[in-house]
Structure formats: structure tokens, C-alpha cells
Amino acid sequence: MVETEAAGGIRRMAHALRFLAADAVEAAKSGHPGMPLGMADLAAVLFSRHLKFDAARPDWADRDRFVLSNGHGSMLLYGLLHLTGYPGVGLDELKQFRRAHARAAGHPEYRHFPGIETTTGPLGQGIATAVGMALAERMMNARFGDELVDHRTYVFCGDGCLMEGISQEAISLAGHLRLSRLTVIFDDNGTTIDGPTAVSTSDDQVKRFEASNWAAIAVDGHDPEAIDAALRCARASDRPTLIAARTRIGFGAPTKEGRSVVHGSPLGEAELAGLRQALDWPYPAFEIPSDIAEAWRAVGRRGETESAAWRRRLDQAEPARRAEFERRTAGLLPQGLKAAVEAALAALAETPQAIPVRQASRDAVGLLSRHMPEMTGGSADLTSSVLSQAEGMSPLAPGAFAGSHVAYGIREHAMAAALNGMALHGGLLPYGATYLTFSDYCRPSIRLAALMGIRVVFLFTHDSIGVGEDGPTHQPVEQLASLRAIPGLKVYRPADAVEALECWYDAVAGTGPSVMVAARQKVEPVRLAPASQMLSRRGAYVLAEAEGPRDVTLLATGSEVSLAVAARDLLAGRGVAAAVVSMPCWERFAEQPADYRRSVLGAAPRFAVEAASPFGWTRFVPDEDHVFGVTGFGFSGPGPEVYRSFGLTPEGIAARVLEALGRPATAE
Amino acid sequence: MVETEAAGGIRRMAHALRFLAADAVEAAKSGHPGMPLGMADLAAVLFSRHLKFDAARPDWADRDRFVLSNGHGSMLLYGLLHLTGYPGVGLDELKQFRRAHARAAGHPEYRHFPGIETTTGPLGQGIATAVGMALAERMMNARFGDELVDHRTYVFCGDGCLMEGISQEAISLAGHLRLSRLTVIFDDNGTTIDGPTAVSTSDDQVKRFEASNWAAIAVDGHDPEAIDAALRCARASDRPTLIAARTRIGFGAPTKEGRSVVHGSPLGEAELAGLRQALDWPYPAFEIPSDIAEAWRAVGRRGETESAAWRRRLDQAEPARRAEFERRTAGLLPQGLKAAVEAALAALAETPQAIPVRQASRDAVGLLSRHMPEMTGGSADLTSSVLSQAEGMSPLAPGAFAGSHVAYGIREHAMAAALNGMALHGGLLPYGATYLTFSDYCRPSIRLAALMGIRVVFLFTHDSIGVGEDGPTHQPVEQLASLRAIPGLKVYRPADAVEALECWYDAVAGTGPSVMVAARQKVEPVRLAPASQMLSRRGAYVLAEAEGPRDVTLLATGSEVSLAVAARDLLAGRGVAAAVVSMPCWERFAEQPADYRRSVLGAAPRFAVEAASPFGWTRFVPDEDHVFGVTGFGFSGPGPEVYRSFGLTPEGIAARVLEALGRPATAE
């Protein structure tokens, strides 16, 4: 092959990426050199000729998004950010690769460097997150027009990402929505950790993507002009595009190229020297020849003019439109929202109604979204059950991106990751819904939301054995505990309409991710008096104080709060003064001052009431015998009967409390 | 279309299924009539002409397996079992559909009726479980030959199953392994809960399956002869086969056919009457005309001769081979295993070595599998990291099913479901491995294993922040708590080689599912003296008693037990008598008598040491301040440094214990 001058230049620029990666891995004595060596040519062509970005302004809202789904190749990304001149990505940072607390972490972590659009590492997450970004771009475009929103999303991924099931959900969703501005570049190197891909897969990826309404092109991933041509095709396509790029893992490594061994370990001194020789790269570690360094800097400045023109357009936009664009992309609440919520809370307290909590949740979203058009809903094919589509929300459809409710299909995992992508993209406040028991399908993406601290709301209805006849496969039991175990995640379980609105407001007013858990069944309202403050925002509060000194405190959440209130009345009739504490959010409660927590919990014996596994409640009660919950799995049958069989009735609760307090079991 | 007589008969047999389903749903006032009405013709043809079974002998090991992946259509399955005469599936049982504790539960539950091969309901699980069954069939065939093992696996599924990501993993794995005896019958009715499938998907399923090395046939799902021909093709194929059967959901319902509304609600009186008229079915609810009932009984007896011949072959088999076949399919331990384990434990205690727990786990599996060739390993493309392939285990490959280690590829979720399918099939003792943080990807299948109570071992290595440089995406924190929260699941976290073997033995000697959690890093051995009993099997035990009365008790698991032992030594130097309790399995400990539990835990102040979220430890300690654990997520850096930063060192533990006990912080 006769290389053009341009291709030759690109190749040397790619080598700079290769050696930054290989040398940093070598210095760290751990890491993944194989992917950066293999994908460097693809990265060099994408960044130098296609990606719309301005390294000096990594927060430019209209930049193209680049997602490294195969996050173990993090050094490729760090090298790109460094060479193109992203602020704060100095050589010293790269030299700290994989050291304790280094910003150049083992896998790319959101907020560690500007230009890291999302945390990746768990395979398949990046591609699904990118689908959310690409969808957000079209939605923002439908709201603010081409002059403010007109960019693309590029993903690098490997065999691992494409073998993970979440990728199928993401691909299928993107193809259906015709997200033509999404391009996936597949590192088709025929290798996984266990050996050649032939050990574990026989998939025809091109055909697979085509089956999901994608364009698909196979190219030589080491031929810059071929890569360039494929990227041009992708930009012209009316469908999302797969570029299956045949590459050699560990490109250039004399004995390790093309072999699994180069995936996840340093090359070693001799092999690295051999690589230098093979690629004609005589420079020491971390030294980039000035012509190549300058060429990369120029790449970093490629978007300067365009980003300046964009800022001018924003400056010249109609002021209200500009302010709204800026508010939404900054994730700020609109003025007047809190007052509107407080007024609505007062009205709810005045006209209490027994409604399902899921319906209360829908009403809360309806109110919020009237003030916050950035609220973007959706469900995994359960819209009429989870009540995710609030009044005034229109369905989104392929080519009709002005809608604000997404039909994610039966793709819970990709939905959760897409929500993350929408939040990361900016301009939207995404939530998505399914049944609580299927939160298990979303878990890896929920974890990433928590790790990144992004504002996403995962709405899970049908939240207990109250689901009834559908039986134990559909009755969550351990999900509340396992979600509460995730660091940095707020888990709300409101008891009625007032709490639902308070919790929703708290979720959208915060910065991190939330899980909103809502009962399917109708519940008696418990918050009957207007409060001067949104009590749920404290996480737990005394809903009903005991008459006189407390004999016992009943802690409860969600649909079981009204049960606890009824039990309190029964206990009062037996001369036992019980307080009821509603605990809609443990995590918010943990943030309160110790004095407040002590006063709420009280010194009297405590019992917990929650139709779920007792696991974790020992944080508040002495042992699991003090929990009215669900031990083991539930069973199929009418919801009230299932509740009864677990002793979850006012009578059952009162009787066991009396027994525990040593009070006579018969009437006095 | 002129119907043949046979087709006409089949059609009326299908109607019997339709009305049993529609009437049972009507009586229950909840349930899913749409799928049984739509798939009844497919079921009638499959059962009456292809499925190898003998209703009177549902435990015939060489029967074909039938999996209803779209489990909401449970009444279709119950109707089939009833009409073909499975023991104990009487009309009275069907009339109890969805009542509290009914065996005819909302979704099919394993063990509720013979003939329910697996619990289904959570979409996508059935198809992936069936892949495990089909793989198990080939593996057992490779071990016992055609005369004992020669059957097929059939799956019914809908759009939901095929949209779930797990289905892609399963399809891709099955196509790669060329599991030609697997046939998936797709209820291609163009409808999901949210409306026409066009609302959420544009996939070409035939092309998608072909891309994964399947044969695929599209047919009219209401044409018995076409269905029959497709099933014949499937049986002739050298690849797994998709039959995409175009059907009408709610077939025959005058106003609801073809609409989402018929999916999940009773038809209602008038619609049901209209259905009777449309299908010319004048019989009252639950009444089957005698000719049709007799035709179905004959179907149930179709396999009598074949099953009798099979039993003769088994009876005539070489006695040792027959005994081994029967032992494995019954899931019994071989004689002499326990003694061999005890001897190995004694040897390990005599020559303690500091090795990674994952390596100890591999060695334990090596020992067990020498005695139990039914042990079948595998990993999700991490074989050399998780050390899942024990000595003597050869890799399984397409067409080479004598192997016993499966390369599942980067498909954690399908791996977990396939393990379930192998266990359900019988004859194998399956385990599969990935990193603990990716247990999140497996969770819905782990839950089903727990719900079914089947013997599967999920092996999760790289079990803490000790993973180090790969950072928080790869460092599990909350996974231990969230796995412990699953009812019916044993979570083991052994501390060294002795405990690893004890825990593995306990897992395989039990009946339910287990999670085996193993540290990546090297740990100091803690069990230095041979014990007359396998202490780990009690779940927790006093590893090192205090010298004199206990001042404090340190509870620890896994790699932190040796830390606790070292802290105990430091405390002893400061005059504090600490006991160390190793707790490899909370669930087994909970089964012990109260006296034993009290004596192990003791009355002295307790602290817990585990490099994970403190969530749940309040079962044993007063509050989370008494846990040496990981609050929040970890970070990228060398493992020992990450440990140190969370205070997880002997010195850090001793200092905080001294402070809590009010002992002076400086040397006495």
C-alpha cells in the first residue's frame, strides 16, 4: 500500500497514542495495552477529521460526544485528551495512571478529566449510554433547533460490549428510533480474554446490526483512508451506523500482536522495545516529537471557529429561549417551582384521597413537568401499568423527537443506561419506569448512575407482594434492601400523594440518582394536615406522635405506613402509646443531624413495617424479629391475602407488638 | 383454505386449550388470555406430533424439554398438562388458578406441577434457561450415549423475551455451540403491552437469528400443517432453529383479537361469549367434549412405548454405568467424597500456604470434580482470572461436548440462566464464574435459582476493593449485601484454602443455589489446625478464642479474616482479649441452634471486618460504626493502598477498637 502523506501523518499521530498508552501501562505495572495499540488509527482519524470538538471548551453543549465503551482501553482516551490539549490533562497526570487517587484511573471515570463523557468499564454500558446521548441530541434538537443542537455521538467498543445483552437492547432501540447520528466503531480484532473469539462466538455482527435497522460497513481498521471513508458514509446515513473495523490487538507488538495476552497486561520491557523498533518510534517514554505534538494540538483547535460561531448564535438567540437553554443544560430548577409544589401539597392535604401510589407518582410528575419541560419519561413496555406518562406528555417516536415519553420496549437494562446517557448529555431530566422486581435487570446501570452522581430517576412500581396474583417472580422482596445497599443512591418509597410529590421534588431538586418506588395498590392517605415543610425531604419524620410518652415506635415506609397508622389506633385502644415514623428515604434521613435522628427514632422499643425483606432494617431495630416484613419469597394470590399471610395487617401488627411488650393478649 | 381432517382435529384440540385458559382467567378475574389464545395451535401441533414425552412419567430423563418462556401464558401450559394427563393436574387445580397458594400460580412455578420444567415470568429467562438445558442434553449425550440421552428442547417465547438483552446472549451462545436440538417458537403477534410492536421495535428477527448461526423459518402460526412442516425442518437442522410464527394475539376474540388489551386482562363475559360463538365452542367453562378429551389423552400416551423402551435400555445397561447415570440425574453425592474432602482438609491444615482464595477455590473444585465428573464449569471470558477451569477439566467446544468447562463468552446473564437450565435438566452440577461486581449482570437469574431452590454455584472472584487498579467499576462494594438479601441463597466467602474446600463441599452437598465469593489477592492462611468437623458448614465459628474472658469479638469474612487475626494479636499486646469469629456463610449460621449462635457471637462488644458495604452487618453489631468496611465506592489504585485508605489494616482496626473500648491510644 502506498500511503498518502496525510495517511502517513495520521499514522504517526496514532503512534503517539500507542506509545502514551503502552508506556503508561508499563509504568503502572498494570493496565490494558492491547486495545489502544489496536484502535489508535481509528481514534486518530476520528479525532482529526470528524469529531466536532474544541479541546479548550470541553463543556461546549453542541460538541460531538465520544464514548469509550471498551473502557479498559482508558489510556487511549487519556492520550487523546492530553494530546489535543484538554485543560488539566497534563503529562504528569498520565504518568500517575492507575496510582492511588490518580485522575487517570484504571477505567475512565466521569468528572476525572473533561472529555470523559461517561464512566465506562462494565462492558456494554458505554454503547447503551451513548444511545441515550444520541436520543437526547435529537430531543434537544427538536426543542431548540439546528442552530443550537446539531451534533453526533461516536462509540468505540469491542467484542465484549457486543456480546453483552445490553448491547442488543441498545442497538435495537437505536435502530428503531433511527438515531442516524450515532456511530459505533467496533474493534473487530477477533480476540477476547479467553482466546480467539472463535472460542465463544460465531456472530456475524454486520448482519446482526442490519437486522436492527442499522447501516453497517466493514473496513480495515488500520487503513486511515478507509476509516475516513467509512466515517463519511456514517455521517451521510439516515440510520445509525456500525463500522466493523478489522484490527490487530496489540498492533505492532512483535510477539504479542493478535494474541489475548496483550489485552490486559503490560507488554514488558523487551516487547515494548520491540514495539518501538517495529513502529520506528525512537523516542523515550512520554516524549512526543514536536511535529506530532503540534499536529495533535491543531486537531484540538479544529473546532474553535465552529464553537465560537455556536456561542454567537446562543448569544444572539431570543433571550428567553437562550435562558431556557442555559437553565436546562445547567440542570437548574425553574423559578417558582418550589412554590407551585408547596401549593399543590397544601391542596393534596386538604382533599386526601385513597389512590395507588403509582398514580400519585404520575400526578407528581405531571405537576413537575408542567414547570420543567426537560422532564423526559418512558417505560419498558408498561406505560399503562407504571403510569409513567404524565398528563401533557406526548409519545416520542422515530423522527418525532418533540415527544417526551419514550417507549423503551421490553429493554429495562438499555432503558436505565439510556437514562444515564440523557442525563450526561444534558438538557433533559430523564426518568424511566418498570416494575420493582425488574430493577434487577437495570442494576449495572443504576450502579453507574450512583458512581457518577448524575440526576436520573428510576421509577419502580408494583413494589411488593401487593402485586398479588402474578406471584413471586413479579413480587419484589429483596429489591429494596439491595437498592439501599448501593452507595450514593437515594431510594424513596412514598406513602401517599403528599409524600409522592415531596419525594419527587426532592429527587429532581437533588444532584444524584434516585429510585422512586411506588405501590401498585390503593393506599389510605396518611398526610392529612398541611405541613410548613416538606417532611419527606428529611428522609424520616414523626407522622403521628404517641399520645403521651411513647411505649413503642412503629417505623414504616410506603404502602405500609397506613397499616402502621391503623395498628397505632388498635394499640391505643389497648392502652399502648405508639408513634408512627414514616421513613420514605433512609439515605436522606442519614444526612440529618444526630439530634433530629434521635428525636424521630425515640428511645422506646421500635418495630419496622415494610412488605419486603427485613434485611438491613437492623440499622433501626434490634433484630429481624422486630420487622413486620416478608421472610422468603411471596406467592401467587390476591394481594390482600398475601399480605395477611405474612401478618401484614393492623391486627397482626398490633398483636405481635403487644406480645413483644409483654401486654396481655386479650382485651383488658 | 381447505383443512385436512387432521388439521381440523388439531384445531379443535387447540380450542380446548384456548377455553381452559380464557375461562380460568375469567374465573380468577386476572391473568393473561391473549397468549394462550394466540399460541394454542402451535402448542397443539408441538405436543401432538413432535414433543417426546409420556405424561404418566414426567420425570423420564430422556423426555423432550418444553419451556414456556413467555410465562404469563401459564394457563396454556396448565391446560396442556391437564389435558395430556400429567399426574395431579386435575380440573380442580386449574379452577384454583391464581387463588392464594394455588399450584396453578400466576406464572409457572417449578415443582408446582410435574411438567413445569422451570419457573418463568421474568422475560428472557426461559429462553436462556433452555439453552442450558439443550447444552446439558448434549453433554449428557457425550457421557452416556444416544441410547440414554437423545432428546430436544422447545421454547415458546414472545416479543418480550426477544427484546430482553439476555435473549441475545442466549441466542448467540446457542448458535455458536450449534445446539441443533434447540427450537425456539416465537409468538410473532406484532403486539406488546404498549401497543403494536411498531411502537418500540423494528427488528428483523429472522435475520437476527441467522446472524447468530441459527436456522430461521417464518410460518403462519395458525396453520397446523405449516407449523408441522416447520417443526420437521427444525428437527432436521444442524443448527438451532427459530420458528417465527405469525399469530393473532387473543385469537378468536371478536373485538379484542390483535390488540394489546387482550394481553393481560380477562376477556369479560360478553367477549368470552363472543369467542365461544366465533370458535363454535358451545361447551360451558371447564367442560371439554369427550372426543377432544380422549384425543388429548392419547397425545399424553404417545410416548409410552418409547419411554418403556428407554427404561429397558437403562435396566439393561452395564450396572456401574446405570448406577452412575442414576446417581447423577438424582443429584446424589458419590460415596467416599466426604472422606476424601476430610483427608484433603487435614493435608491443607498441615501445610498452610498464602495463596489467593480464587486459587484455593480452583483447587477445591479440582478435588470435588475428580470424584464428581458431573461438575461442569465455565466462565464469562475470564477463565485465567477467575480460575474456573480446575485441573483435569477440558474445554467444551461446538461438537465436542465431552468437555466440562464452557467458554460462555462475555455473557454473564445467559451464563447464569444456562447454569439454571443445566441444573434443571439434571445430570450435571453446574457452576460458572465472573467477577463479583458483575454479579449484578446475573442477578435476575440468580433470583430464579433461589426461587426454584436448585443446586447451582455462582462463583464470583475479585471480590472487593482488593481488585485495586481497575477501580470502582470493578471493585464490588454493595454486592455482598445485595446477594445476602436474596431469600434462599447461600453466600459463601471463604477465608483460606481450608474454608474454600469446606464451603465448596457444603455448596455441592446442599440442595439450593450458592454464591461462592473468592478474593483475587493472596491471603494468609487462618485455619492452621485440623478440625474434626468442617467448621465452615456451621456458617460461623470461633476461629481464635480470646485469651481469657472476651473483651471484644471481631467478626470477619473472607480475605479480612486474616486481618482480624492480626488485629487480635495487636490487641493482645495492648491487654485486650479479642476473639475472632470467621463467618463464611451467614445463611448457614442462621440455621444453627440459638445456643450455638449465642456462644459464637458472645456477649462482649462486637465489631465486623469486611471490605464491603456495612449494609446488613447491623444484624450482628449495634451500628455501622462498628463495621470496618467500605463506605461509598472504592477508587483506582494498588489494592493494598485502597485497603489502607479505608482503615482496613490490623493497625487501623486495633486502633479504632481500642478507642471504642475507651482504652488509651498510646502504649501502656
Side-chain angles (χ1 to χ4, degrees):
Chain A
M1 181 176 65
V2 178
E3 286 195 339
T4 62
E5 197 178 341
I10 283 279
R11 192 171 290 271
R12 295 235 302 150
M13 289 169 73
H15 288 350
L17 295 170
R18 290 189 164 99
F19 282 96
L20 281 178
D23 287 326
V25 169
E26 200 67 22
K29 298 190 180 66
S30 85
H32 301 77
M35 179 284 219
L37 292 173
M39 292 195 87
D41 297 314
L42 292 153
V45 175
L46 175 65
F47 271 66
S48 64
R49 301 195 194 163
H50 294 274
L51 195 77
K52 179 169 90 171
F53 75 110
D54 176 358
R57 297 183 175 273
D59 56 353
W60 175 21
D62 200 29
R63 70 191 181 279
D64 285 351
R65 304 303 196 268
F66 174 66
V67 173
L68 194 85
S69 193
N70 41 5
H72 50 269
S74 55
M75 265 311 302
L76 179 67
L77 178 56
Y78 305 153
L80 286 160
L81 300 178
H82 166 66
L83 289 171
T84 54
Y86 275 78
V89 194
L91 209 50
D92 287 347
E93 298 286 351
L94 269 56
K95 288 178 182 168
Q96 294 296 311
F97 181 55
R98 291 185 156 242
R99 305 257 160 87
H101 297 292
R103 295 173 70 201
H107 290 80
E109 293 188 45
Y110 182 57
R111 293 201 178 100
H112 274 217
F113 287 133
I116 299 179
E117 302 282 4
T118 179
T119 295
T120 51
L123 294 175
Q125 296 294 328
I127 186 169
T129 304
V131 169
M133 294 177 179
L135 175 56
E137 191 271 345
R138 283 296 84 191
M139 292 181 70
M140 288 295 280
N141 175 276
R143 285 149 181 75
F144 291 97
D146 286 347
E147 73 273 26
L148 291 184
V149 185
D150 179 22
H151 56 268
R152 311 185 62 83
T153 305
Y154 293 96
V155 182
F156 273 18
C157 75
D159 280 287
C161 290
L162 296 190
M163 288 169 83
E164 292 287 358
I166 187 175
S167 71
Q168 178 67 15
E169 299 182 13
I171 291 161
S172 174
L173 180 63
H176 173 68
L177 292 173
R178 270 184 262 131
L179 298 177
S180 60
R181 287 154 172 267
L182 175 65
T183 303
V184 168
I185 297 151
F186 163 40
D187 186 23
D188 186 11
N189 59 26
T191 311
T192 71
I193 292 174
D194 275 357
T197 46
V199 166
S200 61
T201 185
S202 306
D203 289 339
D204 178 337
Q205 296 292 359
V206 165
K207 191 167 179 180
R208 171 192 175 199
F209 276 74
E210 286 176 347
S212 287
N213 206 28
W214 285 55
I217 310 163
V219 296
D220 177 349
H222 299 301
D223 176 348
E225 296 311 328
I227 297 165
D228 184 57
L231 285 166
R232 274 184 279 119
C233 281
R235 290 171 66 173
S237 173
D238 63 351
R239 288 176 292 162
T241 300
L242 169 76
I243 299 176
R246 286 182 308 278
T247 60
R248 305 204 289 281
I249 192 171
F251 179 96
T255 73
K256 295 184 172 178
E257 180 187 282
R259 294 171 53 210
S260 296
V261 67
V262 81
H263 163 79
S265 304
L267 292 178
E269 206 178 319
E271 187 82 7
L272 189 48
L275 180 73
R276 285 197 144 71
Q277 203 157 24
L279 302 187
D280 188 20
W281 192 264
Y283 319 105
F286 298 110
E287 190 179 304
I288 308 295
S290 59
D291 61 324
I292 295 180
E294 186 37 52
W296 270 115
R297 292 281 160 171
V299 166
R301 290 188 300 265
R302 267 182 52 236
E304 265 181 9
T305 316
E306 211 170 343
S307 86
W310 181 86
R311 281 195 307 284
R312 273 195 303 280
R313 290 198 297 277
L314 181 62
D315 288 344
Q316 290 158 6
E318 192 265 314
R321 185 159 156 269
R322 174 189 167 174
E324 188 61 8
F325 182 85
E326 290 179 334
R327 183 188 70 74
R328 293 194 203 174
T329 49
L332 302 176
L333 298 188
Q335 287 205 327
L337 177 66
K338 196 174 182 195
V341 168
E342 284 167 340
L345 287 169
L348 285 170
E350 271 167 37
T351 55
Q353 283 189 295
I355 57 170
V357 183
R358 57 178 166 155
Q359 187 180 327
S361 164
R362 183 188 60 189
D363 295 346
V365 172
L367 173 73
L368 295 172
S369 62
R370 274 199 293 285
H371 294 260
M372 304 177 77
E374 63 266 38
M375 287 196 79
T376 302
S379 91
D381 195 49
L382 290 169
T383 302
S384 55
S385 291
V386 295
L387 303 181
S388 52
Q389 190 169 348
E391 205 183 292
M393 282 190 164
S394 59
L396 179 144
F401 293 107
S404 55
H405 188 271
V406 183
Y408 286 103
I410 301 124
R411 305 182 183 102
E412 297 85 5
H413 202 175
M415 173 176 75
L419 297 176
N420 291 352
M422 295 164 101
L424 290 161
H425 178 277
L428 302 173
L429 201 170
Y431 68 92
T434 184
Y435 294 163
L436 178 57
T437 192
F438 302 136
S439 64
D440 284 352
Y441 279 78
C442 308
R443 207 169 159 84
S445 303
I446 297 174
R447 182 174 210 257
L448 279 178
L451 187 52
M452 292 190 275
I454 55 176
R455 190 174 55 161
V456 178
V457 184
F458 304 97
L459 170 60
F460 297 127
T461 69
H462 294 59
D463 72 344
S464 75
I465 50 171
V467 164
E469 291 89 345
D470 277 341
T473 55
H474 286 55
Q475 293 168 352
V477 169
E478 74 280 19
Q479 280 71 12
L480 278 170
S482 59
L483 290 166
R484 286 176 180 142
I486 299 179
L489 180 70
K490 292 184 292 277
V491 180
Y492 298 95
R493 190 168 186 249
D496 67 2
V498 169
E499 282 200 1
L501 181 50
E502 289 176 344
C503 290
W504 263 106
Y505 178 77
D506 198 55
V508 304
T511 52
S514 306
V515 161
M516 190 68 56
V517 172
R520 168 207 201 188
Q521 69 270 25
K522 205 174 275 196
V523 293
E524 290 300 319
V526 294
R527 281 282 290 284
L528 309 176
S532 58
Q533 48 173 331
M534 298 193 216
L535 293 168
S536 300
R537 301 193 72 189
R538 305 204 76 169
Y541 62 93
V542 180
L543 171 72
E545 191 46 278
E547 307 270 344
R550 285 192 202 175
D551 292 320
V552 64
T553 301
L554 302 177
L555 314 174
T557 78
S559 47
E560 284 70 72
V561 176
S562 56
L563 274 187
V565 169
R568 174 180 175 272
D569 293 345
L570 293 178
L571 290 167
R574 302 292 301 281
V576 170
V580 172
V581 169
S582 181
M583 304 193 79
C585 183
W586 290 18
E587 298 76 21
R588 291 289 271 159
F589 185 55
E591 294 169 10
Q592 306 304 313
D595 279 357
Y596 175 78
R597 283 185 280 131
R598 264 194 302 271
S599 75
V600 168
L601 294 172
R606 289 194 288 269
F607 292 84
V609 191
E610 186 175 73
S613 166
F615 195 87
W617 270 106
T618 47
R619 185 185 283 184
F620 304 111
V621 300
D623 56 44
E624 288 169 18
D625 289 340
H626 285 71
V627 184
F628 296 91
V630 177
T631 309
F633 290 103
F635 60 86
S636 173
E641 290 184 50
V642 183
Y643 260 72
R644 202 173 311 132
S645 80
F646 284 101
L648 285 162
T649 59
E651 298 73 23
I653 295 166
R656 254 179 67 194
V657 167
L658 287 170
E659 192 189 332
L661 296 178
R663 303 286 177 117
T666 53
E668 285 170 51
Chain B
M1 181 176 71
V2 178
E3 285 196 341
T4 62
E5 197 179 345
I10 283 279
R11 192 171 290 271
R12 296 231 305 149
M13 289 169 73
H15 288 351
L17 295 169
R18 290 190 163 99
F19 282 95
L20 281 179
D23 287 325
V25 169
E26 201 67 21
K29 298 190 181 64
S30 86
H32 300 79
M35 178 285 218
L37 291 174
M39 293 194 86
D41 297 314
L42 292 154
V45 176
L46 175 64
F47 272 65
S48 64
R49 301 196 193 162
H50 294 274
L51 195 77
K52 179 168 89 172
F53 75 110
D54 175 358
R57 297 184 174 272
D59 56 351
W60 176 20
D62 200 29
R63 71 192 179 278
D64 285 351
R65 304 304 196 265
F66 174 67
V67 173
L68 194 85
S69 192
N70 40 4
H72 50 269
S74 55
M75 265 311 304
L76 179 67
L77 179 55
Y78 304 153
L80 286 160
L81 300 179
H82 167 66
L83 290 172
T84 53
Y86 274 79
V89 193
L91 209 50
D92 286 347
E93 297 286 349
L94 269 56
K95 288 179 181 168
Q96 294 296 312
F97 181 53
R98 289 185 159 243
R99 304 257 160 87
H101 297 292
R103 295 172 71 201
H107 291 80
E109 293 187 44
Y110 182 58
R111 294 200 177 101
H112 273 217
F113 288 132
I116 298 179
E117 301 282 4
T118 178
T119 295
T120 51
L123 295 174
Q125 295 295 327
I127 186 169
T129 304
V131 169
M133 293 177 181
L135 175 56
E137 190 271 345
R138 284 294 85 191
M139 292 181 68
M140 287 296 281
N141 175 275
R143 284 149 180 75
F144 291 97
D146 287 345
E147 72 276 25
L148 290 185
V149 185
D150 179 23
H151 56 271
R152 312 184 62 83
T153 304
Y154 294 95
V155 182
F156 273 17
C157 75
D159 280 287
C161 291
L162 296 190
M163 290 170 82
E164 291 287 358
I166 187 176
S167 71
Q168 178 67 16
E169 299 183 13
I171 293 162
S172 174
L173 179 62
H176 173 69
L177 292 174
R178 269 185 262 132
L179 298 177
S180 61
R181 285 154 174 266
L182 174 65
T183 303
V184 169
I185 296 150
F186 163 39
D187 186 23
D188 186 10
N189 59 25
T191 311
T192 71
I193 291 173
D194 275 358
T197 46
V199 165
S200 61
T201 185
S202 306
D203 289 339
D204 178 337
Q205 295 292 359
V206 164
K207 191 167 179 179
R208 172 194 175 199
F209 275 74
E210 285 176 348
S212 286
N213 206 28
W214 284 57
I217 310 163
V219 295
D220 176 349
H222 298 301
D223 177 347
E225 297 310 327
I227 297 165
D228 184 57
L231 285 166
R232 273 182 280 121
C233 281
R235 290 170 67 171
S237 173
D238 62 352
R239 288 176 293 162
T241 301
L242 169 76
I243 298 176
R246 286 182 309 278
T247 60
R248 305 203 291 280
I249 190 171
F251 179 95
T255 73
K256 295 184 173 176
E257 180 188 282
R259 295 170 54 211
S260 296
V261 68
V262 79
H263 163 77
S265 303
L267 293 178
E269 207 176 318
E271 187 81 7
L272 190 48
L275 180 72
R276 286 199 141 72
Q277 204 156 26
L279 300 187
D280 188 20
W281 192 264
Y283 320 106
F286 298 110
E287 190 178 306
I288 308 295
S290 60
D291 62 325
I292 296 181
E294 185 37 51
W296 270 116
R297 291 282 159 167
V299 167
R301 291 188 298 263
R302 266 181 52 235
E304 265 181 10
T305 315
E306 211 171 343
S307 84
W310 180 87
R311 281 194 309 284
R312 273 195 303 278
R313 291 197 297 276
L314 181 63
D315 287 344
Q316 290 159 6
E318 190 262 314
R321 183 158 156 271
R322 172 187 169 176
E324 186 64 6
F325 182 85
E326 289 180 332
R327 182 188 69 75
R328 292 195 202 173
T329 51
L332 302 175
L333 298 187
Q335 288 204 329
L337 178 66
K338 195 172 182 196
V341 168
E342 285 167 341
L345 287 168
L348 285 171
E350 270 166 37
T351 56
Q353 281 188 296
I355 57 169
V357 183
R358 57 178 166 154
Q359 187 180 326
S361 164
R362 184 189 59 191
D363 295 346
V365 173
L367 173 73
L368 294 173
S369 63
R370 273 198 294 284
H371 294 261
M372 303 175 78
E374 63 266 38
M375 286 196 79
T376 302
S379 91
D381 195 50
L382 289 169
T383 302
S384 55
S385 291
V386 295
L387 303 180
S388 51
Q389 189 169 350
E391 205 183 292
M393 280 189 166
S394 59
L396 179 144
F401 294 108
S404 54
H405 187 271
V406 183
Y408 286 102
I410 301 124
R411 307 181 183 102
E412 296 85 3
H413 201 173
M415 173 176 75
L419 298 177
N420 291 351
M422 294 163 101
L424 289 162
H425 178 278
L428 301 173
L429 201 171
Y431 69 91
T434 183
Y435 293 164
L436 178 58
T437 193
F438 302 137
S439 64
D440 285 351
Y441 280 76
C442 309
R443 204 168 160 86
S445 303
I446 297 174
R447 183 176 210 255
L448 279 179
L451 187 52
M452 292 189 276
I454 54 176
R455 189 174 57 162
V456 178
V457 185
F458 304 97
L459 169 61
F460 298 127
T461 68
H462 294 58
D463 73 344
S464 75
I465 50 172
V467 164
E469 291 89 344
D470 277 340
T473 54
H474 286 55
Q475 293 167 353
V477 168
E478 73 280 19
Q479 280 71 11
L480 277 171
S482 59
L483 289 166
R484 286 174 180 145
I486 298 179
L489 180 70
K490 293 184 291 272
V491 179
Y492 298 93
R493 189 167 186 250
D496 68 1
V498 170
E499 282 201 2
L501 181 51
E502 289 176 344
C503 290
W504 263 106
Y505 178 77
D506 198 54
V508 305
T511 53
S514 307
V515 161
M516 190 69 54
V517 172
R520 167 206 200 187
Q521 69 269 25
K522 205 173 272 195
V523 293
E524 289 299 319
V526 294
R527 283 282 291 283
L528 309 175
S532 60
Q533 47 172 332
M534 298 194 214
L535 294 169
S536 300
R537 301 194 72 189
R538 305 205 75 169
Y541 61 92
V542 180
L543 172 72
E545 192 45 277
E547 308 271 342
R550 284 193 203 175
D551 292 319
V552 64
T553 302
L554 302 177
L555 314 173
T557 77
S559 47
E560 284 71 71
V561 176
S562 56
L563 275 187
V565 169
R568 173 178 175 273
D569 293 345
L570 293 178
L571 289 167
R574 301 294 302 282
V576 171
V580 172
V581 169
S582 181
M583 303 192 80
C585 183
W586 290 18
E587 297 77 21
R588 291 290 271 160
F589 185 55
E591 295 168 8
Q592 305 305 312
D595 279 357
Y596 177 77
R597 284 185 280 132
R598 265 194 301 272
S599 75
V600 168
L601 295 172
R606 290 194 287 267
F607 292 83
V609 191
E610 184 174 76
S613 166
F615 195 88
W617 270 106
T618 47
R619 185 184 283 183
F620 303 112
V621 300
D623 56 45
E624 288 169 20
D625 289 341
H626 285 72
V627 183
F628 297 90
V630 177
T631 309
F633 291 103
F635 60 88
S636 174
E641 290 184 51
V642 184
Y643 260 74
R644 204 173 309 130
S645 80
F646 284 101
L648 285 162
T649 59
E651 298 74 21
I653 293 165
R656 257 180 65 194
V657 168
L658 287 170
E659 191 190 331
L661 297 178
R663 304 288 177 113
T666 53
E668 284 170 55

